[in-house]
């Protein structure tokens, strides 16, 4: 969710065939917990349950990590949205010049951080819902049903994305429209939107287009985020295994801070590049206007898309080529890689802090 949007499954070292002796030892990265391993002679199921962090801790840590990660990268996300939503605008073609142009013309708060209120409306709750769903599903599948761990984590990530999507998709629609608009009565860029603020955007959309508009691009968003989460998980697992080998550490030890950052960034960035065409179609569907003025020039018109992901990708490819499908890939790569690292790192730090406080309380 980690939108994604904040849909990023937090995964680490997991049990592998032949590692039965490590299964219920203290493994902070596997369970997302720093609680000491159980010392009683309870059953394996009880031991596994005790080794996990409380779900409420996962929700709080995930929400904090997601909100801070999204906040840090929002300005770059705005540049990406402009590039994808206004592909025929020359001043937004280059990422660096687009960043500078938006800042100079529209400022930081209303320009680069336009739509921030819409993003925060769904960032914390959607991340919290994702991590709660992810953790509950993972624990059930691995410990109760004894299903393959890789499949369990993939399924848990997909399900976490799906459940949290009911929160983050409306937030995404509001965010992208406000980002594409920029300033109210913006003299530097005409997107077709002109909302005074977040409340006005919600009321105007519902009054003029109906509340289902808040879920425009729902299928496109899921089609982007589910593959992103799956790919990021697969890459992250492989990169972490390589990192453990490189640092000559066992799976129950912690990786260095630099390895945690690099593995998360590489996984998120690579998955972000591959899913860019889906992100382009999602952005176009969510920000397209109901009608295009007939007196608009051909170059200014953005081809109207249907709600079909496949047809949308074909339309973009026919009208803009491969470059159109990968518009905004630079900002998206940087955004997904840095946001993934920030979110994963903050999630782990927050979770350790919460679990440490719980351990201290249990001593008294």
């Amino acid at each position: 969710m980690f939108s994604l949007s904040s849909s990023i499954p937090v995964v680490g070292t997991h049990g592998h065939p032949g590692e039965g002796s490590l299964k219920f030892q203290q493994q902070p990265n596997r369970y997302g917990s720093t609680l000491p391993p159980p010392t009683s002679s309870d059953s394996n199921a009880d031991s596994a349950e005790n080794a996990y962090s409380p779900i409420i801790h996962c929700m709080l840590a995930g929400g904090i990590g997601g909100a801070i990660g999204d906040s840090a990268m929002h300005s770059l996300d705005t540049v990406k949205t402009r590039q994808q939503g206004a592909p025929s605008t020359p001043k937004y073609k280059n990422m660096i010049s687009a960043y500078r142009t938006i800042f100079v013309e529209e400022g930081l708060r209303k320009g680069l951080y336009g739509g921030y209120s819409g993003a925060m409306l769904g960032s914390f709750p959607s991340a919290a819902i994702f991590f709660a769903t992810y953790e509950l599903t993972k624990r059930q599948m691995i410990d109760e049903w004894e299903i393959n761990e890789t499949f369990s984590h993939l399924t848990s990530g997909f399900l976490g994305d799906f459940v949290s999507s009911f929160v983050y998709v409306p937030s995404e629609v509001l965010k992208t429209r406000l980002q594409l608009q920029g300033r109210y009565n913006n003299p530097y860029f005409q997107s077709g939107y002109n909302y005074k603020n977040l409340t006005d955007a919600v009321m105007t959309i519902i009054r003029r287009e109906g509340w289902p508009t808040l879920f425009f691009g729902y299928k496109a968003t899921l089609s982007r985020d589910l593959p992103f989460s799956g790919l990021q998980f697969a890459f992250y697992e492989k990169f972490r295994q390589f990192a453990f080998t490189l640092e000559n550490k066992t799976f129950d030890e912690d990786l260095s801070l630099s390895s945690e950052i690099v593995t998360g960034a590489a996984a998120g960035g690579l998955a972000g590049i591959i899913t860019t065409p889906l992100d382009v179609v999602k952005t176009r569907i969510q920000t397209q206007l109901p009608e295009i003025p007939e007196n608009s020039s051909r170059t200014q018109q953005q081809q109207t898309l249907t709600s079909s992901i496949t047809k949308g990708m074909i339309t973009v490819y026919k009208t803009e080529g491969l470059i159109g499908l990968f518009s905004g890939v630079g900002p998206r790569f940087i955004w997904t890689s840095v946001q993934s690292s920030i979110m994963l790192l903050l999630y782990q730090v927050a979770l350790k802090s919460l679990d440490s406080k719980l351990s201290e309380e249990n001593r008294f």
Side-chain angles (χ1 to χ4, degrees):
M1 69 235 62
F2 163 152
S3 135
L4 303 184
S5 195
S6 309
S7 49
I8 303 178
V10 174
V11 293
T13 55
H14 312 292
H16 299 276
E19 295 175 3
S21 60
L22 295 176
K23 186 171 184 180
F24 295 116
Q25 291 180 17
Q26 184 179 7
Q27 297 184 40
N29 290 327
R30 176 186 177 186
Y31 297 116
S33 171
T34 55
L35 293 175
T39 56
S40 63
S41 57
D42 296 332
S43 64
N44 285 349
D46 292 337
S47 298
E49 181 65 26
N50 291 335
Y52 286 117
S53 296
I55 291 298
I56 186 65
H57 287 188
C58 297
M59 293 180 67
L60 290 173
I64 292 171
I68 295 178
D70 288 344
S71 297
M73 303 307 297
H74 185 84
S75 60
L76 199 61
D77 184 61
T78 297
V79 174
K80 181 215 70 173
T81 300
R82 290 289 179 93
Q83 289 184 327
Q84 293 179 346
S88 60
T89 305
K91 62 182 179 181
Y92 299 141
K93 289 290 184 181
N94 180 270
M95 182 181 70
I96 297 177
S97 63
Y99 201 104
R100 182 174 58 251
T101 298
I102 296 173
F103 176 72
V104 172
E105 293 182 344
E106 304 171 45
L108 182 65
R109 185 172 69 87
K110 296 182 178 180
L112 290 173
Y113 269 80
Y116 179 72
S117 56
M120 290 301 101
L121 186 66
S123 184
F124 184 95
S126 64
I129 292 171
F130 170 83
F131 282 109
T133 305
Y134 179 81
E135 283 295 328
L136 285 170
T137 306
K138 178 188 71 175
R139 299 174 190 187
Q140 180 69 30
M141 294 182 71
I142 294 177
D143 297 321
E144 300 296 329
W145 299 339
E146 298 183 352
I147 297 176
N148 174 269
E149 286 195 354
T150 298
F151 179 79
S152 297
H153 284 101
L154 285 169
T155 303
S156 300
F158 290 162
L159 187 59
D161 254 337
F162 176 72
V163 175
S164 61
S165 67
F166 294 99
V167 175
Y168 74 71
V169 170
S171 170
E172 184 84 357
V173 171
L174 294 168
K175 174 185 73 72
T176 51
R177 287 197 176 197
L178 290 168
Q179 284 176 317
L180 198 59
Q181 160 191 313
R183 292 169 53 183
Y184 178 59
N185 290 328
N186 192 352
Y188 304 102
F189 177 65
Q190 300 298 322
S191 66
Y193 303 112
N194 200 32
Y195 309 117
K196 296 179 181 178
N197 48 45
L198 177 63
T199 302
D200 181 55
V202 175
M203 299 303 295
T204 301
I205 290 172
I206 293 176
R207 184 176 67 254
R208 294 182 180 178
E209 304 173 57
W211 68 265
T213 303
L214 293 173
F215 286 88
F216 268 5
Y218 181 75
K219 291 188 294 183
T221 302
L222 288 186
S223 297
R224 175 200 66 177
D225 288 347
L226 296 186
F228 174 83
S229 295
L231 288 171
Q232 189 223 19
F233 163 83
F235 294 145
Y236 188 54
E237 280 293 312
K238 293 299 181 183
F239 294 158
R240 282 182 63 88
Q241 289 178 14
F242 177 74
F244 274 110
T245 302
L246 194 65
E247 294 188 1
N248 196 27
K249 291 183 177 180
T250 59
F251 289 129
D252 59 337
E253 294 180 281
D254 290 328
L255 287 174
S256 64
L257 178 62
S258 59
S259 291
E260 291 285 5
I261 292 175
V262 171
T263 53
L270 187 55
I273 291 175
I274 295 174
T275 56
T276 294
L278 295 170
D279 186 48
V280 171
V281 174
K282 186 275 306 178
T283 300
R284 298 287 181 85
I285 291 176
Q286 288 182 331
T287 59
Q288 65 183 347
L289 295 169
E291 296 181 358
I292 298 177
E294 294 181 358
N295 59 354
S296 296
S297 66
R298 192 71 178 173
T299 56
Q300 290 177 328
Q301 293 185 28
Q302 177 177 299
Q303 185 68 41
T304 301
L305 307 179
T306 67
S307 59
S308 170
I309 315 306
T310 304
K311 290 181 179 179
M313 292 183 68
I314 293 174
T315 299
V316 174
Y317 179 73
K318 285 183 176 179
T319 57
E320 302 170 43
L322 196 62
I323 294 178
L325 282 176
F326 280 90
S327 59
V329 66
R332 178 165 170 77
F333 166 73
I334 298 174
W335 189 93
T336 53
S337 58
V338 177
Q339 198 269 356
S340 295
S341 290
I342 293 174
M343 185 173 182
L344 281 167
L345 187 60
L346 291 178
Y347 175 85
Q348 293 172 351
V349 170
L351 197 58
K352 287 180 180 180
S353 178
L354 290 168
D355 287 348
S356 295
K357 290 182 179 179
L358 180 61
S359 298
E360 291 176 2
E361 292 176 359
N362 290 337
R363 293 197 195 104
F364 300 98

